[in-house]
Amino acid sequence: MNSIQITELIENGAFDKAFERLYADTSTARSRYINAVFNFSKIYGDRDNIRIFSVPGRTEVSGNHTDHNNGKVLAASVDLDIIAVAAENSGNEIRIKSHGFDMDTVDISNLSRGAYPKFSSAALIAGMCDGFLNRGYCVGGFDAYTTSDVIKGSGLSSSAAFEVMVGNILNCMFNGGTISAPTIAMIAQYAENEFFGKPCGLMDQCACAVGGFVYIDFENPRLPKIEKLDFDLSKAGFNLCITNTGGSHASLNDDYASIPLEMKSVAKHFGKEVLREITLENVISDISGLRRECGDRAVLRALHFLDENDRVERQRTALKEGDTDAFFSLVKASGESSKALLQNIYSVKNVNEQGLSVALDISRRSLEGKRGAYRVHGGGFAGTIQAFVLSDDTENYKNNQEAVFGKGQCHVLHIRPYGALEVTVI
């Protein structure tokens, strides 16, 4: 289809059923997609082979700081996404123009790691292509325009959504859509680790690629166990609220780095590399020695990891059984553990900035005596919290948060049941 044909289809409602599957609020979907097609044609000219793709952002539900010690994680995709209008070209170049950014151009005949600057989108594109080729898959040249409503700095993982989008296009255009979502996620992690220069885990990419609630067990990080859980949070009557407290992550690298280092120091005490290789009984039986060798905070963080792994497993069971209240009880317990044991609610280097603590206490007061749950979101120390709130309570909860953090800082979202896909075929 060319731009005129696909625009007419969108205007006439041919995509409305797809939009209803992807978005809780479809009021702006038509105009958003039409604008994306228009911008693609403005940049690249009209084409006869236009296709449209979508990849969601993600939220971490439980398993706070467990993946780097081969732990278990529960994540989910949300109904904010990056969409791409794309078409094959006849050359060896991938050209991607993302809204608000300069064009990225990658020569697929030159995918050496030093060919593109680290921490650049071009490096991610090159890394995805290299990862595809390493696994025996096909790559080819294409042009794309992308636009995203995945909020940057929100912990919803806009970078992972972009990586997975590149893999999504390569999969659908050049591999017949035969590559599994977990495989695309693992290639995305490779691109970020080896080309972009960030030693990330696999949770973000997995949630974006697979969609819905996703259980991930990293006991074998090279071949994690990934399971999509069939649970509809919206049908149960709940919204997901993400509040951005406005704290800066700029000076928090040491805080983030200290968590895996301290956890691994406890594992090392027992002759192991990661905490997944030890038991709660190991730690409890030797707390005195661990305190002397590793320090109290490391011991507490190890206890958090071991408890959190068990919580994720129980949450997995609760979702499979549709036991919403048990699930929410465990979400709250995860949040309390992050606060008391993991200690990632604020940085000890700046005790005057405790936006997460304030937001969590507002949540406690707003939801006291009501069904739902709340906890820190993502890496912690600054940024965002999440809350699962009954639909009837959402407006009051949102107003309470925004009275403190500003209008537009509490985002009402839904768990999207679909991961990376081609919109033009659903």
Side-chain angles (χ1 to χ4, degrees), residues 21-24 54-61 75-82 149-151 154-157 207-208 211-213 233 240-242 377 386 388 411-419:
R21 294 180 185 180
L22 299 179
Y23 310 110
S54 166
V55 173
R58 72 95 183 114
T59 182
E60 175 198 282
V61 178
S77 60
V78 298
D79 60 341
L80 297 177
D81 65 349
I82 176 173
D149 60 8
V150 181
I151 309 148
S154 64
L156 298 174
S157 215
C208 293
F213 281 98
L233 187 73
L240 170 66
C241 296
I242 301 289
H377 183 239
Q386 69 176 211
F388 297 95
H411 306 279
V412 180
L413 307 177
H414 303 82
I415 304 302
R416 164 173 151 163
Y418 303 96

Side-chain angles (χ1 to χ4, degrees), residues 112-320:
S112 61
R113 296 184 190 185
Y116 304 95
K118 287 202 170 190
F119 308 111
S120 70
S121 297
L124 289 175
I125 299 166
M128 291 301 299
C129 291
D130 191 63
F132 266 63
L133 292 172
N134 287 345
R135 290 173 177 259
Y137 300 129
C138 299
V139 301
F142 67 85
D143 299 323
Y145 170 82
T146 77
T147 181
S148 176
D149 60 8
V150 181
I151 309 148
K152 294 186 183 301
S154 64
L156 298 174
S157 215
S158 56
S159 60
F162 178 82
E163 297 156 16
V164 171
M165 175 59 81
V166 175
N168 187 26
I169 295 171
L170 291 172
N171 182 28
C172 294
M173 282 190 174
F174 306 107
N175 296 275
T178 59
I179 304 172
S180 71
T183 298
I184 291 174
M186 286 186 274
I187 295 172
Q189 182 194 26
Y190 166 81
E192 190 152 350
N193 290 173
E194 302 298 330
F195 280 70
F196 188 77
K198 181 181 176 182
C200 69
L202 185 61
M203 178 186 70
D204 296 352
Q205 292 84 356
C206 232
C208 293
V210 175
F213 281 98
V214 184
Y215 164 88
I216 314 168
D217 185 347
F218 291 105
E219 184 172 20
N220 178 357
R222 292 185 178 276
L223 194 64
K225 179 180 179 181
I226 300 168
E227 180 183 3
K228 185 170 182 175
L229 305 176
D230 185 20
F231 179 79
D232 192 326
L233 187 73
S234 296
K235 281 187 179 178
F238 290 86
N239 297 319
L240 170 66
C241 296
I242 301 289
T243 299
N244 188 351
T245 68
S248 172
H249 293 82
S251 60
L252 297 175
N253 287 343
D254 290 344
D255 294 285
Y256 292 127
S258 70
I259 295 176
L261 286 174
E262 290 181 10
M263 286 183 175
K264 288 176 181 178
S265 74
V266 173
K268 186 177 179 181
H269 174 85
F270 295 100
K272 304 295 183 181
E273 291 188 7
V274 292
L275 285 178
R276 183 59 182 267
E277 299 176 299
I278 68 172
T279 66
L280 180 62
E281 290 72 25
N282 292 147
V283 175
I284 295 295
S285 67
D286 198 10
I287 283 184
S288 294
L290 286 167
R291 291 183 66 199
R292 288 191 299 271
E293 182 179 327
C294 306
D296 286 344
R297 191 172 69 172
V299 174
L300 293 171
R301 285 174 164 173
L303 292 171
H304 163 81
F305 172 92
L306 294 163
D307 289 343
E308 189 81 338
N309 253 15
D310 176 65
R311 265 189 295 272
V312 169
E313 200 61 52
R314 286 187 286 153
Q315 283 177 300
R316 174 193 182 200
T317 299
L319 288 177
K320 282 185 166 184

Side-chain angles (χ1 to χ4, degrees), residues 364-398:
R364 178 182 66 83
R365 296 173 190 276
S366 297
L367 301 178
E368 195 163 15
K370 300 176 180 178
R371 296 178 68 204
Y374 53 90
R375 51 153 277 184
V376 64
H377 183 239
F381 297 110
T384 58
I385 69 159
Q386 69 176 211
F388 297 95
V389 185
L390 274 168
S391 298
D392 291 343
D393 298 330
T394 299
E395 185 177 358
N396 179 65
Y397 178 87
K398 185 175 189 290

Side-chain angles (χ1 to χ4, degrees), residues 327-371:
F327 168 70
F328 288 145
S329 176
L330 291 162
V331 171
K332 286 182 181 178
S334 173
E336 288 300 315
S337 181
S338 294
K339 185 176 182 179
L341 301 181
L342 184 60
Q343 300 178 35
N344 69 330
I345 306 303
Y346 64 90
S347 172
V348 294
K349 295 182 293 186
N350 183 11
V351 296
N352 289 323
E353 186 177 297
Q354 297 192 38
L356 296 183
S357 300
V358 174
L360 290 168
D361 193 62
I362 294 170
S363 299
R364 178 182 66 83
R365 296 173 190 276
S366 297
L367 301 178
E368 195 163 15
K370 300 176 180 178
R371 296 178 68 204

Side-chain angles (χ1 to χ4, degrees), residues 17-38:
K17 286 187 177 179
F19 295 155
E20 289 170 6
R21 294 180 185 180
L22 299 179
Y23 310 110
D25 181 2
T26 62
S27 59
T28 62
R30 284 192 190 181
S31 61
R32 183 178 177 224
Y33 276 69
I34 289 169
N35 286 337
V37 173
F38 172 81

